[in-house]
Amino acid sequence: MKRVLACFVVLAAFPLVMQAMDNLFYVSLASRMLIYAIAATSLNLALGYGGMVSFGHAAFFGAGAYTVAILATEGISNLWLAWPAAVVVAAVAALMIGAVSLRTRGVYFIMITLAFAQMVYYIFVSLKEYGGEDGLPLPGRSSGLPLSLADDVTWYYLVLALFAATLYGLYRLSRSRFGRVIEAIRENEVRAEAIGFPVYRYKLACFVLSGAAAGLAGALIANQASYVSPSLLHWIQSGTLMIMVILGGVGTLWGGALGAIALLALEHLISDYQIDWLERLAPNYQDHAGLAVGVVLLAIVLAAPQGLAGMLSGKRRA
Amino acid sequence: MKRMAVVAAAASFSVAALVSFGAHAADELKVGFLSTLSGPAGGIGIEIRDGFNLALKLNGGKLGGMKADVIYADDTLNPQTGRQLAERMLKRDRVDLMTGIVFSNVMLAVWPTLEQAKTFYIAPNATPTAITGKGCSPYFFSASWPNEAHHEAAGEFASSKGYKNAFLIAPNYPAGKDALTGFKRTYKGTVAAEVYSKLNQLDYSAEIAQMRASHANAVYAFLPGGMGINFIKQFVAAGLSKDMQLIVPGFVSDQDVVRAVGEPMLGLFDTSQWAYDLDNDANRKFVSAFEKEYQRIPTLYAEQGYTAALIIDQAVRDAKGKVHDAKAFRAALMKAPERAKTPRGQWKEAANGTPIQDYYVRALVKDREGRIVNRKIGTILKDHKDYWAKDCSMQ
Amino acid sequence: MSGLLFLEQSLNGLQFGLMLFLLAAGLTLVFGIMDMINLAHGSLYMIGAYLMATLAQATGSFWIALPLALAATALVGAILELTLLRRLYGRDHLAQVLATFAVILIANEVVRIVWGPQPLLLNAPPSLTGPVTLPGGLQYASYRLLIIGVGILVALLLYFLIAKTRVGMLVRAGASNREMALAMGVDIRRLFTAVFALGAALCALAGAMLGPILAVQVGMGENILILAFVVIVIGGIGSIRGALVGALLVGIVDTSGRAFLPLFFGVFLPPQFASAAGPALASVLIYLLMAVVLFFRPQGLFPARG
């Protein structure tokens, strides 16, 4: 508990430090990391806690983002309208996709979630009035709060608050009856069914909640850059979210967050800061950040499947 | 123990943050060069960059008398990446000017960020009608051409040669739409079909089949970079070049494509704002310096990059380095084309930030040394102005 | 719509479908026998194309380079299997997905480092750069006819290999019941490596043949990989016949969609929308097809497992 508080104190103090150093670019970067932390945490609910390997999570993330963007283009930029709308759209998408996909198992489940996500991708790409392949810029960040969200520091604090809320929500959920049943289903579905739990309904509910949270993250990412692009919906985005989850620790509370922050920090460090001796050794290494990501990912899968969270706490997933 | 690892990572992140303070020397000009430098269309960005760098080199690494610090970034033809990179250049690196963007979709995605930051952008390529018409801005200066010009020139040419029935194809993105709109504006024959392929599409078998079925006598294709390479190869392989004249804007048939396709391209016509055999001293200097430096014939893209650098050099010099003084720098930019000696010869800038210049027709032939070149065969449009300038409120 | 147009588009669909088959065949065997999701299959396709382009430049001949590229890629595949993929058999699918996703990232960067970020040039053999006149008067690109020919030849060879040889029998046994095959004493490790190398060679063949038409560039594997997965899910995991049927279906649906839907939409939509709606719908159709097949026949059309 103390560690958690310490973390949040640091996170809260961060923008003030950056402001003092006149380097607000990093506050914007940190907001982006926190938004992906929310998205990865939402996937962790379905994947880690629920055991559902969904390869189509980007569909919900992107659907939330596009909802906000399309509403903004049509003149509705009040966050009290747009953001819940994003969550609802993502939840409905999760309901429809989950209802069909959860009737399958194993690799078919993975493939069918992927297929549905690709369908969502192609549908949005075909919407030429809303940017199509080129993406859609938003007129600005959402309105509706007494403070202007265009200010990077204010935006950061709002994202931080929502991040804390998401984590808290996951914490309470995992400790609730619902959470326990989901874990039981993940451990042994047949047994859970035999005990009498309506397994399909629990899984679907978990899937929908996970999608809804991803929708919220999507609403935030649309605001972050004031821009949405179909790449938010692409299967590579789904894969990236999965990488974050496994990097951070499948099925752990902080897994999504740690993985997202670690991955984005790694990419940023490699691409943006030239280490001279490394440059001499391997010219243009900065163009190849993907190599480091790939190697780290491989190492984690082969050697440390519990991810960063597992390494930090020494705990094993039960 | 493992906790130390996380703390160490966090610490190094903060240190790195501290270290990268956009330290800004007073007599240094920071230029952000955001371009498409990889992938099938990467050749275009590389040509523009090489032209730009050549001008810099010939100028002793200076622009307008100030030492130039150029920061290069690759948008990989992804508008989202372009936008993120632009933000980084503006907010973290604090560039004074920006240039380099190849593609209109990236341009349109990046533009709001640039305009908000009140940073001047000198376009060496993409000049979308959305930014030159109603959306015109003092911060946008094109050193290349308005998006529709080459296509208007081609339409004029196709009409003058009597091609009665034309099949049009372009990629489905802003410049593609501008292209066919421009062509149709000046073309007086019948449009057999107007097809938009996917951006970066590589296999044109479906579209080629449609062309064959349409019995058009000319095909007008705007397919820049790698798209053009594939299309021309497939067009010839399908036997269509015998029955249909292929007309293209210079983007589709310059040296980058010639290097990849070769002889099958002979006999093609294209339109351009520049030709390697233009008769003026600045051009001769440019072509020979480029061939010496890079061992290849320059493309129109290279000329655009070179000219953009010359324009920046002239304007910064005339504005005495005050690139953040909007009025002064804008005034200097507007006069720069007439004062700088660019390979294009004499041209002016219109109030909406687009060039007013001549457009030529070139043909693909072999020169005396057996190289395949784009020889100028005539001027099709003189002192041509951007059609959308009428919508711009700036005068 | 003229008969010639229809014929030409059909040939295009056949060509695309047969190339998809080459990719899907290797993928379905690996999946069926080793129960492994191998996302890196697309990377082998890319490596095959790159090796082909390099060898074609070096030897100056398309035909000499082709068998060399196939052998080299098969070797790369075998090494990949021996060093890395072995560790993934028996792991859960998530681990396999992530590990092979990592291989994609690494392969993309390695290729970029070795060959640079620009696409490589790969041209069709000089004798095949022009058209051929088919009965009926259609002029069709001769190189594309070659692709169709190669695809059909490989399909026949694979059929012969799988159905009529001992090795093929072992493969079929492994695909339909791995545990039983093991119990019967099949040297499963060597079989796995061989199957993987064969899959890699097929990928290389597809990459080498499609290289002159598409582009040899980093990331070329990702786009076609998804389609290959759709093909094997539709066709049935572990079944070559399913891969062929699935591939032809997907190839024809995709090409027809791209070719005919814009014409169809063009009747009542402006050209830009018609041009976008067509391909979008065509792409969606393929996934819809897969979802429908999975719904009614969750094992695919020709499941290998009894």
Side-chain angles (χ1 to χ4, degrees), chain A residues 3 21-23 25-26 29 32-33 128 133-134 137 152 225-227 229 231 268-269 272-273 311-312, chain B residues 2-3 6 13 16-18 20-21 79-80 83-84 87-88 91-92 94 105 109 172-174 198:
Chain A
R3 270 200 299 175
M21 296 202 293
D22 192 29
N23 220 324
F25 173 71
Y26 290 99
L29 184 65
R32 195 159 160 264
M33 287 183 178
K128 283 292 153 180
E133 275 204 44
D134 301 330
D152 279 339
S226 294
Y227 180 76
S229 101
S231 62
H268 181 70
L269 277 172
D272 294 351
Y273 302 105
M311 291 200 300
L312 282 178
Chain B
K2 314 281 164 79
R3 218 176 309 172
V6 179
F13 185 59
L18 278 162
S20 82
F21 269 142
Q80 170 143 335
R83 210 176 146 105
Q84 277 177 266
E87 274 212 33
R88 195 179 76 189
K91 288 204 189 142
R92 192 192 68 173
R94 307 204 198 189
N105 54 346
N172 203 344
Y173 83 121
K198 204 159 135 32

Side-chain angles (χ1 to χ4, degrees), chain B residues 4 19 54 82 116 146 149 196 199 205 238 242 244 327 339 375 385 390:
Chain B
M4 301 288 266
V19 158
L54 181 68
Q116 242 187 10
Y196 291 91
L199 188 61
S205 52
K242 294 184 227 145
M244 301 184 190
K327 273 181 76 177
R339 292 168 57 85
R375 178 172 305 145
K385 195 169 163 177
K390 59 183 174 62

Side-chain angles (χ1 to χ4, degrees), chain B residues 37-43 46 74 172 177 181 184 194-198 201-210 212-213 229-230 233-234 236-240 242-243 259-261, chain C residues 2 4-5 8-9 12 15-16 112 117-119 121-124 128-132 138-142 144 211-215 217 255 258-259 262-263 271-273 275-276 279:
Chain B
L37 300 168
S38 63
I46 290 182
D74 180 6
N172 203 344
K177 297 174 203 140
T181 310
K184 286 188 295 182
E194 191 181 332
V195 169
Y196 291 91
S197 56
K198 204 159 135 32
Q201 179 175 320
L202 296 168
D203 187 353
Y204 292 93
S205 52
E207 289 81 7
I208 286 174
Q210 283 176 271
R212 197 196 304 278
I229 293 175
N230 280 39
K233 280 205 279 193
Q234 292 167 22
V236 174
L240 287 181
K242 294 184 227 145
D243 311 311
R259 278 192 287 275
V261 181
Chain C
S2 74
L4 277 184
L5 179 63
E8 186 165 2
Q9 301 289 29
N12 290 339
Q15 177 234 300
F16 183 51
R112 209 174 277 144
Q118 297 311 111
L121 195 59
L122 177 58
N123 278 325
L128 292 168
T129 48
V132 141
L138 174 66
Q139 291 218 303
Y140 195 66
S142 52
R144 289 183 194 265
I213 293 187
L214 303 178
Q217 64 197 18
T255 310
R258 279 193 305 127
L263 296 177
Q272 293 147 22
F273 295 111
S275 290

Side-chain angles (χ1 to χ4, degrees), chain A residues 8-315:
Chain A
F8 274 102
V9 166
V10 168
L11 286 173
F14 180 72
L16 301 170
V17 173
M18 286 296 130
Q19 211 165 25
M21 296 202 293
D22 192 29
N23 220 324
L24 282 177
F25 173 71
Y26 290 99
V27 177
S28 184
L29 184 65
S31 314
R32 195 159 160 264
M33 287 183 178
L34 286 175
I35 294 174
Y36 273 97
I38 298 178
T41 305
S42 73
L43 176 61
N44 210 352
L45 173 61
L47 197 149
Y49 287 88
M52 298 175 268
V53 183
S54 161
F55 210 150
H57 213 65
F60 315 128
F61 183 53
Y66 262 87
T67 304
V68 168
I70 292 176
L71 283 175
T73 312
E74 298 301 329
I76 303 172
S77 50
N78 191 317
L79 65 87
W80 299 109
L81 285 171
W83 294 16
V87 171
V88 166
V89 168
V92 168
L95 183 64
M96 296 199 300
I97 292 178
V100 179
S101 312
L102 284 168
R103 296 200 186 276
T104 64
R105 296 247 169 308
V107 64
Y108 297 102
F109 176 75
I110 302 179
M111 294 310 305
I112 208 172
T113 50
L114 174 61
F116 277 123
Q118 282 298 91
M119 276 202 263
V120 173
Y121 169 79
Y122 282 113
I123 289 174
F124 276 105
V125 162
S126 69
L127 293 176
K128 283 292 153 180
E129 321 82 72
Y130 296 119
E133 275 204 44
D134 301 330
L136 186 62
L138 276 80
R141 295 210 172 129
S142 299
S143 54
L145 284 182
L147 306 146
S148 164
L149 291 176
D151 173 42
D152 279 339
V153 175
T154 319
W155 174 247
Y156 174 87
Y157 281 119
L158 180 59
V159 171
L160 183 62
L162 287 170
F163 169 67
T166 309
L167 271 188
Y168 184 66
L170 182 60
Y171 174 72
R172 290 302 300 266
L173 195 68
S174 65
R175 293 237 180 316
S176 71
R177 184 171 185 274
F178 179 81
R180 299 255 184 246
V181 175
I182 289 289
E183 275 201 55
I185 294 174
R186 184 195 69 215
E187 291 300 318
N188 192 327
E189 200 169 308
V190 176
R191 194 197 307 158
E193 186 111 48
I195 296 179
F197 286 115
V199 163
Y200 173 79
R201 270 195 252 158
Y202 269 92
K203 283 172 90 167
L204 185 59
C206 181
F207 194 79
V208 170
L209 275 173
S210 158
L216 176 64
L220 293 176
I221 200 79
N223 271 282
Q224 165 73 17
S226 294
Y227 180 76
V228 294
S229 101
S231 62
L232 288 173
L233 294 152
H234 201 250
W235 68 276
I236 301 262
Q237 178 70 73
S238 293
T240 308
L241 288 171
M242 287 168 84
I243 294 180
M244 291 174 180
V245 169
I246 196 172
L247 188 60
V250 180
T252 63
L253 180 61
W254 282 87
L258 282 175
I261 293 174
L263 186 68
L264 289 175
L266 180 67
E267 280 178 348
H268 181 70
L269 277 172
I270 296 182
S271 329
D272 294 351
Y273 302 105
Q274 195 170 72
I275 303 172
D276 287 326
W277 60 263
L278 195 55
E279 177 72 14
R280 272 195 294 270
L281 201 62
N284 286 325
Y285 80 92
Q286 293 183 298
D287 295 332
H288 305 294
L291 189 60
V293 173
V295 170
V296 167
L297 177 61
L298 203 54
I300 296 259
V301 172
L302 293 178
Q306 303 85 21
L308 283 172
M311 291 200 300
L312 282 178
S313 63
K315 248 193 295 201

